[in-house]
Amino acid sequence: MRQQIGGTSVKRERDFARQYEYLVLSVPSQATRGEARQMLTEHAEYGKWELERTRLYMGGARRYWLRRKVMRIERTA
């Protein structure tokens, strides 16, 4: 299973009101749906990612787009 952060296959659009960062997970056709679900669950729980889009390709390969909001921290001192 391949993980790609940002990369050329992800189009990033600037939205200054709500800006997100994206993670693309590519799952080969040999992996079971249970393995893919466990991987997505781990990213959601520990990395605070949410599922935005799912694509199923011919041959059984799957690709998942995850996103999370970028938190801007302001300096207080």
Side-chain angles (χ1 to χ4, degrees), residues 4-53:
Q4 177 181 0
I5 299 178
T8 57
S9 65
V10 177
K11 182 178 179 184
R12 288 186 145 193
E13 295 181 15
R14 302 253 342 169
D15 183 8
F16 292 104
R18 296 184 347 178
Q19 187 174 1
Y20 292 94
E21 61 179 323
Y22 293 88
L23 173 68
V24 180
L25 300 175
S26 298
V27 180
S29 59
Q30 296 83 14
T32 64
R33 288 194 322 191
E35 292 172 350
R37 181 175 55 228
Q38 177 154 3
M39 181 180 58
L40 290 170
T41 302
E42 288 175 2
H43 280 288
E45 286 182 12
Y46 302 117
K48 303 203 189 296
W49 293 97
E50 61 184 28
L51 183 64
E52 180 185 346
R53 181 177 176 184

Side-chain angles (χ1 to χ4, degrees), residues 1-2 8 20 26 33 40-41 55-56 61 66 70 72:
M1 289 177 251
R2 192 178 84 205
T8 57
Y20 292 94
S26 298
R33 288 194 322 191
L40 290 170
T41 302
R55 178 66 59 116
L56 176 64
L66 304 169
V70 176
R72 303 287 181 204

